[in-house]
Structures are given as structure tokens and as C-alpha cells.
Amino acid sequence: LMDFFSLWSLIKILTRERPDIVPLSSSKAGGLGAAAARLASLFARRPPLVIFTVHGWGFNEDRPAWQRAAIFFLSWIATLFQDRIILIDTADYRAAKRFIPREKLVLIHNGISPPVLIPRPEARIFIARQIGRAIGPDTVLIGTIAELTKNKGLKHLINAINQVKSKIHPAFSRTNFPPEADPPPADKLQIVIIGGGEEKENLQNKIRSLGLENMIRLAGFIPNASRYLKALDIFVLPSLKEGLPYAAMEAMSAGVAVIASRVGGITDLIEDKKNGLLVPPKDIDALSSAIMTFAAGIIERNAMAHAARTKIEREFGLNAMIENTLNLYAS
């Protein structure tokens, strides 16, 4: 019922304003907005150009098969009312070509300006205050910036940290770590999850049930959180679904080593073992192994972090994204 009222409200607004271009983002807005634009154009001399930007297809989410099929069908119906569809990553572009006419599709990668960064000592002091725990100079600080939803896979990160804790034990063999480095003791690992969302209580309960309160902290929402990226030694994005995530791009631009799931546009950003580490989504063993590799190997993670920053600077600049988007609008 609320969707119907939203559709009617959009029709009234578009009829009154008569825009030349209607840009849409997110699956529901992409459908409702496109339908509203088409209905409103019945009363206009010239229909607006409807441009929908896909930030990850909804049918790729971790849902029951019947729900994914329904979302796929509705996504296809919505494309009938959309003139151009912007894909921000190669994986979604390839998927789109299977059910959308190619002339409607445009690949425009996200782009960023280098984030304004607070120096590492000040950033670590700030994060320490947020989590209520000291962060020493020899602490390996692992973090992520994400909305606390199921799609971000944060429960899998918590499980992976629990596995890491069990392996970093005095009796644990160092053969699981790179031969050139010793594993850090568990009390020298700290994990901070920055962000808010619907899964906060579930994640907190999971942390408590595993006895990880001394290792993992939920810092909540922090405005302009990317400013504090220099505080981190490792950035982890264990998502189940992604488009081209700004959080990972900002971490790479900040020179932080990144571990991420091999989903969506993340593979546009990260080449495994060259400028970061990729793991299958929901694979606890692979994620814990990647965390241990970076935690124990400072030389390796610094080299990959440098390569990641170079890739962002060369291939994912803000100006290129703006120019390509304006060219599409002008056409």
C-alpha cells in the first residue's frame, strides 16, 4: 500500500516539475521511479530520459531461490521503462547483458577523490576512545566501515576472528603463518566495526556468545569515518553482495591493506595477492587464513596496500566518473 502511495506521489511530482532527466538508484526506486516517469510523460510534450544506476543486482542477494527469481522478474519489468542503465562494475554489466538490450547499458565505474585523512597517531587515539580500549603501537588494528545488514557478511567476520583467536594460542604451531613472520598474540589484535544498522543487536549478541568482547568492538556510526582509515592496519569487507564499494576504494586510497569477498565489482578493484586478498563469500576458513596472513606479514600487507593505492589513483578517479556521467546525460 505504501508503495502505491509512493508511486502516486512520484507521478504528481514529475507531472508538475517536468524534468528532462530522472536519475534513479536502488532496486525499488528504480522500478517505482521509472514507472512514475512513464506515466507522468503521458501529460508531457517530451518524456524524460530515465537513467537507472545499478549498485548491485538485488537477485544476487543471499535469499531463497523463489525470492531471487521474483526480484529478477521485477528487475526485468523495470528495465522496460528505463532508457539507460548505468552499471558501476564489470560483473553486473556482464549479468545485465544476458537480459537487457545492450544499447541501454553503460559501464561507468565509481570514482573517488582521495579521502582527507587524519594522521595515524591521532586516528588511533580517536578510535581507541570510540571503543573504550587502548590501542598500542604494536596492536594490529583490523576494521571495516559498513552498514550493519546481512548483505555485509559481518557475522562471518566475527566467526573468522573467533577462529583466528583459537589458532593464536601458545601451543599453536606457527606453520599456519608465513614462514618469515611470527603470529601476533591474540591480545595484540583488535577489531573495530564502524557503522549502524538493523543487525547491530544480533552482531553484539554473537560477539558476546563467543566471548570476543575484548577483541571486537562495534563503534557505531561515525560521521566521515573514512577520515580515520589510517588508524587501521587491515580493512576487511566480507560482503555477500556488492556493486563497487566506496568503503573498499577509500581504504585502498588510504594505503590500507584490504581483504574482501570475491563478489560483484570487488574483483574490478582487487587482484588477489597483488593488491589485496580475495576470499569466497561466507568462507570462514579462507577469511581467517587471509586475516592471519596479513596480521603476521607486515611487509606483504604494506606492499599490497601500496599497489592498491596506485590502482585507485590510476583507474578510479572522480573526474573520469563525472565526465562519463555528464556525457551520458548530454546524449
Side-chain angles (χ1 to χ4, degrees):
L1 187 62
M2 292 302 296
D3 289 343
F4 173 79
F5 284 120
S6 297
L7 177 64
W8 179 242
S9 296
L10 287 171
I11 291 171
K12 290 193 294 182
I13 292 169
L14 295 174
T15 301
R16 181 178 70 243
E17 300 295 337
R18 298 182 181 180
D20 297 303
I21 301 173
V22 178
L24 304 167
S25 292
S26 85
S27 298
K28 182 174 285 191
L32 289 178
R38 284 292 169 259
L39 292 170
S41 69
L42 298 175
F43 309 101
R45 294 180 181 177
R46 183 178 62 183
L49 178 69
V50 178
I51 300 177
F52 174 50
T53 301
V54 178
H55 296 277
W57 290 110
F59 51 77
N60 286 331
E61 293 181 1
D62 188 26
R63 295 171 176 265
W66 70 268
Q67 289 186 10
R68 287 188 282 113
I71 293 171
F72 177 88
F73 177 73
L74 292 173
S75 298
W76 175 74
I77 291 293
T79 65
L80 302 178
F81 303 104
Q82 297 157 354
D83 297 299
R84 295 289 184 276
I85 300 169
I86 298 175
L87 291 309
I88 61 175
D89 65 88
T90 305
D92 284 331
Y93 182 76
R94 289 173 181 156
K97 288 194 294 185
R98 293 198 287 267
F99 69 100
I100 302 172
R102 193 167 300 189
E103 60 268 17
K104 283 192 173 187
L105 305 177
V106 183
L107 177 61
I108 302 177
H109 285 125
N110 283 344
I112 64 169
S113 293
V116 178
L117 300 169
I118 292 176
R120 179 177 172 87
E122 289 88 338
R124 284 169 82 91
I125 290 171
F126 175 86
I127 295 298
R129 289 172 180 166
Q130 297 300 305
I131 65 176
R133 186 173 176 84
I135 301 173
D138 55 347
T139 297
V140 177
L141 184 61
I142 302 168
T144 190
I145 302 172
E147 188 178 3
L148 306 188
T149 64
K150 291 182 179 179
N151 276 331
K152 294 301 181 182
L154 296 170
K155 72 175 183 179
H156 304 299
L157 172 60
I158 294 170
N159 284 330
I161 294 300
N162 187 51
Q163 197 171 99
V164 169
K165 181 184 178 183
S166 69
K167 291 179 178 179
I168 303 179
H169 185 275
F172 178 64
S173 170
R174 57 170 282 124
T175 57
N176 289 271
F177 290 85
E180 74 279 2
D182 289 317
D187 62 355
K188 296 301 182 183
L189 280 178
Q190 285 292 309
I191 297 85
V192 57
I193 298 174
I194 299 172
E198 61 197 38
E199 283 290 294
K200 180 179 180 179
E201 185 175 352
N202 290 336
L203 295 174
Q204 191 64 67
N205 289 339
K206 188 171 188 63
I207 292 168
R208 191 178 300 112
S209 68
L210 293 174
L212 296 174
E213 301 97 317
N214 290 332
M215 289 186 70
I216 304 176
R217 289 288 204 273
L218 300 182
F221 174 75
I222 297 176
N224 301 314
S226 62
R227 293 184 297 176
Y228 306 101
L229 281 167
K230 281 289 188 183
L232 304 180
D233 298 290
I234 304 167
F235 184 91
V236 183
L237 195 65
S239 303
L240 310 185
K241 164 188 170 278
E242 283 290 353
L244 197 66
Y246 278 108
M249 294 170 70
E250 289 170 340
M252 294 169 71
S253 179
V256 180
V258 175
I259 300 169
S261 299
R262 194 189 298 271
V263 296
I266 289 176
T267 55
D268 286 346
L269 299 172
I270 297 177
E271 297 176 79
D272 189 32
K273 298 178 182 177
K274 293 184 178 180
N275 64 348
L277 297 179
L278 293 176
V279 298
K282 298 192 285 188
D283 191 327
I284 306 304
D285 291 337
L287 183 55
S288 64
S289 177
I291 290 171
M292 289 190 294
T293 296
F294 267 171
I298 186 170
I299 295 176
E300 184 176 23
R301 73 172 184 250
N302 285 347
M304 290 195 198
H306 176 75
R309 182 169 53 199
T310 300
K311 185 176 181 70
I312 293 297
E313 291 172 352
R314 291 178 177 174
E315 300 180 27
F316 295 92
L318 180 64
N319 288 339
M321 182 188 75
I322 292 174
E323 182 178 353
N324 290 333
T325 303
L326 289 177
N327 287 339
L328 174 62
Y329 281 26
S331 68

